[in-house]
Every structure is written in structure tokens, then in C-alpha cells.
Amino acid sequence: MNPSTALARILVDELVRCGLAEAVVAPGSRSTPLALALVAHPDVRVHVRIDERSASFLALGLARVSRRPVAVVCTSGTAAANFHPAVLEADESGVPLLVLTADRPPELRGTGANQTVDQIGLYGGAVRMFTEVGTPDPVPGMVAYWRSLACRAWASAMGGRPGPVHLNLAFRDPLTPDVDTGPWPESLEGRGGGGPWTARPGPFTAPAPFSLPDVERGVIVCGDGDYDPAPFLTLAELTGWPLLAEPTSNARRAGAISTYRHLLASPRLASGPAPELVVSVGRPNLSRQILAFLRRAERHVVVSAGALGDPAAGVPNAFSDPARTATDVVAAVSPPAGLDSAFPRSTDWSRTWRRAEWAARAAVDAVLDEEEALSEPRLARDLVAHVAAGSLLFAGSSMPIRDLDATMHARCGVRLVGNRGVSGIDGTVSTAIGAALAHQRDGGGAAYALLGDLAVLHDQNGLVIGAQEPRPDLAVVVVNNDGGGIFSGLEQAGHPAFERVFGTPHGISMERVAAMADLSYTRLEWATDLPKALLGEGLRLIEVCTRRSDGTALRRRIQGAVDAAVDEVL
């Protein structure tokens, strides 16, 4: 066996022993040993993509939903640089990735050799671990090195703060397994029984919870993140504190304040008493309103849960505090002492929020239901309401996630995800496809994505899937307002150069995009037709055409209706 093949096969075998089940490969010559080793392994489902950026975001989506590391492989040169946006998103959102970049051997670096760049530490501080693996040599000790390194990489990706790991692998010729350079000086086998070279430690000891003070004006804020929302829903029920849940927290269930975005922008509520205590978890950074609300709190307890901290340490090693108002950072919380679970507490504060929620909810729905033509906010509300329990919904990072935040009712049974770590436009189609593939491999139901037109155009290559590749059952619902709709509600909208520099009209129908990728296409205009349009199988595009100016005006009208309704009940 030649050294390059030996390294690739041992690395893949050891990663599978750790739990690797999915890998994404972007084609290239220098990465041949890894690609062939992955395709040959019966326990790895391999996905091939022609575009490295698409490949890396596909891996991100697979890893986000499956909650286990996914390997993504590329050749040397600019291929590795195209992984960088997905690595940044994985870092910020705590998604485990194994980034395996092939490289030229040291003797070719810095010589002007083709497809050679400096890949050492390419992703900087965005990775949990970087290793220059070194060129494979047929000497004793290599097998233990490679297998222990694979285990260390897996543990680093899955650690207290999950995220990307980068292994840079320099391969010398020959790159294909059919060239045998002689016997290996030691056994290539791993541990007996199929276990990993280095066993992972058992479960972390649960940290002692921080006992919350007993206050009336408490609030619970659930931001984006992959954590269990149940303790915070229970806390809200026991204390009577309002629970404000962003969509991708998956905590907007029965009892949550579904209209908090409008309520925090309402002058009547905003001018009322400040919260004595805010308990936040995840990344609460979707709206300016929530950040302003955090700044008003007398005390702010940040709970570092799931991917945001290492429970074994007792004190979290990472936490989200975008408003820089945290007074306490803890790993877990418990309700104030003395509360009776049989009698949820009702106070003036809790009753005020509940009355405001009822009034605002009715006001939002009344405005949205005035017309049957689908607006962007109504599409968001109706889409999440219509999908069946067990479904997955991927939300784009611009207006789709904000419209969901502003309009969706509280409900359970639907898992909402999105690229909220960096909230970039990169790779949203590919991430949604990866998320759907992982969701359905694990036995989940249908999958949907709500994206903007620019996000789809930015990642059209994500729709190009080879005939032999696994394909998801995914309906991609695209809001086409011919440009950058999010800017229409910001200060830039009044500038004379707005339309060219920020609006960026493109004039492209999603029907042409669907034709490019040979996908089924539906154009949707009326709200009553949404359930029918969502029917179907496979990867498909559903287009809803809107005007940016109409969406901006409608959102302002909704806020005005909420303000009036809140004034009336408070």
C-alpha cells in the first residue's frame, strides 16, 4: 500500500469508529486518496458537489441537524479558501465540522507549483483545532499517530463548545490505491471490537443550577441556538415571567409571547417599568428591539446552554452577550424557591404582558388577513402554520427569519433552523439541502426552506445535484421582490443611489433558476393556494413575487395596528 492511501484509509476508518456517517466531497486531484477512501467505506454516506462553497455549506446543514461532525473534503489551492464562509458560520453557531483539506507536500510549497497556496492555519481562530498532519511515511508509529489524531479531532469538534476542526493533509504521489509501494512496517488495524483508538469520556456531570432571585418583573429571552427549551418553558410557567422566543430557539410554543417583536417596539409598553431580571439563553440578536430591552434590565443572567458552554467546567467558557449587559453567567438555572408548580404565579406584570399579547396577536392577524394576495409577512406566518408536525423549516437570514419572528404563532412540532451564527447570505440553499437530508435520514418528515431571491441567486450551484447523489424532499419557497428587501426598512432607503447600490434589482424569475437545475417550479400568488403548492416530492422551487415597497408599508401598518391595540388594552 502506498503512504497516501494508507493515511486516507486509516483516517476515514478511525473517524467512522468515532461516529462519522456523512461526508461531502468536492472533486480534485490532490484529495484523491481521501475521496476514494470515503466512497469505499460502507458506513459513510458520501455527497459530491462541484462547488467547494456549496459543498461546505451542505456539510454545515447536515451537521447542524444531525448534531454530529460531518467531513468535508477538497483539493489544494483556492478550493480550501472557498470553505472559509462555512467555517466561520460553523464557528459562531457551534456546528461540528471536520474540514479535511488536501495539500501539496512541503517540497512543492513556495516554489510556484500549480494549485499551491499557504494553507497552514488558513481559518485562523475560527477552528477549535488545527493540525498540519504532515506527509505520510512508511515508518513505525504512524498508525498510532493518525488514529489518535482522528479521535482528538472528533473530540474537539464535539467538545463543550462544538465547532469546526481543520486537518491539512499533504499527499505525495502516488495518489491512487492501485499503485502499491510495498508492505507497511506495522499493522494498519485499529482497536479490536470496532471501537475508537481513544475512548471518549462519559457524560459530563450536570452543573449545580443557579437559583434565580424571586422578582415580579422577570423576563425569559430564548435566542437562536441548539439547546433544550423545555426548562425555560417550565420556568416561564412557574414564575409567570413572559417568554420571548426567537424562531430558531424552537421555544415559541404554547405560553410564549409570539408578538414580542412588535410589543417591544410599542411606545406604551416600551415606556413602562423596566424588567428587574432578564434570563437569556442562546444568541438573542435578531432584532434591535430585543437588544434595547436587554439594556434596560436591572440584572441580566446569561445561561450558557448546549453548544455555548462546557457543563463539565461548572462555569461556561463561551456565552452570548451582544448588548454587554450580563451581570451573571451560569451553566443552568433553577426557579426561585417556594414556587408551587400546581399554581403558576400571576402578577400585574404577567397579566400586562398577556393582555398585550392577546391584543397584538389579534391586530397582526387582522392586518395580514385583509388581502388574499400573499404578502411576505403573511407567507411567513401561513407557511409555518401549514407544515405538518415533524417537519423541518430552514429560514433565510435576511427578511424571512425576521418575518417569521414578527408573525408566526406559537406552535410545537416543527424544527426551525437557519444560519444565524454569522447570518450571511452565503450557502443558504446548500445548507437547507444538507439540513433536509439529515432530517430525513433520521426519520423526519417533510422539509421546507423560506429564502429570499438574492440568497437563491447567490447559491444557485447548491441546486445542482448529480444524478447519483442523495436528494432531499425539500420545497424551497422563494420570496422574489427583485432585490435586497431588508434594506428598504433601513436608513439607506432614502439615499438617491439606493436602488442601484442596495436594492440591486436583477429581473430574474425563479422559473429560470429552476430550469437551470431541472427542478419542478410553481408560482404562488394567493394565500388559499399555499397548502396545495406545498404538496409534492423531491427538490422543488415555489416562487412568490412581491414588491419591496409593499412589504415595507405593510410592516409599518402592522406595527401601527399593534400600537393602537396595546394602547387600548393597557
Side-chain angles (χ1 to χ4, degrees), residues 103-130:
D103 202 352
R104 302 293 170 126
E107 62 267 21
L108 293 181
R109 299 176 189 174
T111 66
N114 190 41
Q115 256 186 304
T116 305
V117 300
D118 184 1
Q119 297 177 196
I120 305 301
L122 180 63
Y123 308 117
V127 294
R128 304 293 180 267
M129 168 185 165
F130 166 73

Side-chain angles (χ1 to χ4, degrees), residues 56-357:
S56 59
F57 277 100
L58 176 72
L60 180 81
L62 287 162
R64 184 187 297 276
V65 169
S66 67
R67 298 187 176 99
R68 68 165 68 182
V70 171
V72 58
V73 173
C74 72
T75 191
S76 62
T78 59
N82 281 300
F83 283 174
H84 207 156
V87 170
L88 292 173
E89 174 64 31
D91 171 32
E92 292 295 331
S93 55
V95 175
L97 279 185
L98 297 170
V99 182
L100 309 179
T101 57
D103 202 352
R104 302 293 170 126
E107 62 267 21
L108 293 181
R109 299 176 189 174
T111 66
N114 190 41
Q115 256 186 304
T116 305
V117 300
D118 184 1
Q119 297 177 196
I120 305 301
L122 180 63
Y123 308 117
V127 294
R128 304 293 180 267
M129 168 185 165
F130 166 73
T131 297
E132 164 72 348
V133 178
T135 53
D137 295 307
V139 297
M142 285 291 101
V143 172
Y145 166 49
W146 293 335
R147 288 191 180 274
S148 64
L149 176 63
C151 293
R152 186 181 297 273
W154 183 271
S156 295
M158 284 289 288
R161 183 173 172 246
V165 165
H166 178 202
L167 300 184
N168 195 55
L169 298 115
F171 292 115
R172 287 195 179 104
D173 294 334
L175 301 175
T176 56
D178 56 327
V179 180
D180 191 344
T181 58
W184 204 260
E186 60 183 344
S187 172
L188 297 175
E189 298 302 315
R191 302 287 189 198
W197 192 262
T198 306
R200 297 170 60 196
F204 292 129
T205 301
F210 173 77
S211 183
L212 293 168
D214 189 1
V215 300
E216 177 180 344
R217 298 195 310 277
V219 176
I220 304 163
V221 175
C222 290
D224 170 71
D226 189 12
Y227 54 87
D228 182 5
F232 303 96
L233 291 160
T234 300
L235 178 64
E237 184 178 356
L238 283 174
T239 60
W241 298 341
L243 187 145
L244 319 182
E246 294 183 8
T248 52
S249 71
N250 290 288
R252 192 175 295 190
R253 303 179 187 177
I257 304 296
S258 68
T259 59
Y260 79 88
R261 189 183 185 96
H262 297 297
L263 293 177
L264 294 181
S266 176
R268 184 66 176 269
L269 201 66
S271 62
E276 299 170 274
L277 172 70
V278 171
V279 178
S280 73
V281 61
R283 292 175 294 274
N285 58 9
L286 184 55
S287 69
R288 297 179 180 183
Q289 294 93 331
I290 201 73
L291 295 178
F293 189 64
L294 290 174
R295 293 186 184 101
R296 296 185 64 209
E298 298 174 15
R299 187 174 183 181
H300 179 194
V301 175
V302 176
V303 183
S304 183
L308 298 177
D310 180 353
V315 176
N317 57 12
F319 59 94
S320 182
D321 180 28
R324 292 192 176 274
T325 56
T327 57
D328 307 86
V329 180
V330 300
V333 293
S334 63
L339 294 182
D340 189 340
S341 60
F343 300 98
R345 185 164 60 176
S346 178
T347 64
D348 289 342
W349 174 256
S350 63
R351 288 189 291 271
T352 294
W353 275 93
R354 190 56 54 194
R355 287 198 303 271
E357 159 73 359

Side-chain angles (χ1 to χ4, degrees), residues 376-423:
E376 295 173 25
R378 179 164 183 177
L379 172 63
R381 184 199 66 176
D382 291 2
L383 176 60
V384 74
H386 281 304
V387 301
S391 297
L392 176 85
L393 176 58
F394 181 92
S397 295
S398 188
M399 289 312 300
I401 186 63
R402 288 169 172 81
D403 281 333
L404 284 166
D405 191 36
T407 65
M408 68 173 280
H409 286 244
R411 70 157 296 178
C412 60
V414 177
R415 184 176 178 187
L416 282 99
V417 296
N419 284 346
R420 291 283 317 289
V422 186
S423 297

Side-chain angles (χ1 to χ4, degrees), residues 1-81:
M1 183 181 296
N2 65 67
S4 291
T5 297
L7 167 57
R9 287 184 176 177
I10 288 173
L11 189 68
V12 169
D13 177 68
E14 192 61 38
L15 288 174
V16 170
R17 289 165 177 257
C18 291
L20 182 72
E22 306 261 20
V24 184
V25 173
S29 176
R30 190 56 52 172
S31 54
T32 295
L34 277 173
L36 295 182
L38 285 165
V39 169
H41 203 292
D43 295 331
V44 180
R45 182 170 71 162
V46 176
H47 311 261
V48 179
R49 292 297 185 272
I50 61 173
D51 178 340
E52 284 84 9
R53 188 176 67 180
S54 175
S56 59
F57 277 100
L58 176 72
L60 180 81
L62 287 162
R64 184 187 297 276
V65 169
S66 67
R67 298 187 176 99
R68 68 165 68 182
V70 171
V72 58
V73 173
C74 72
T75 191
S76 62
T78 59

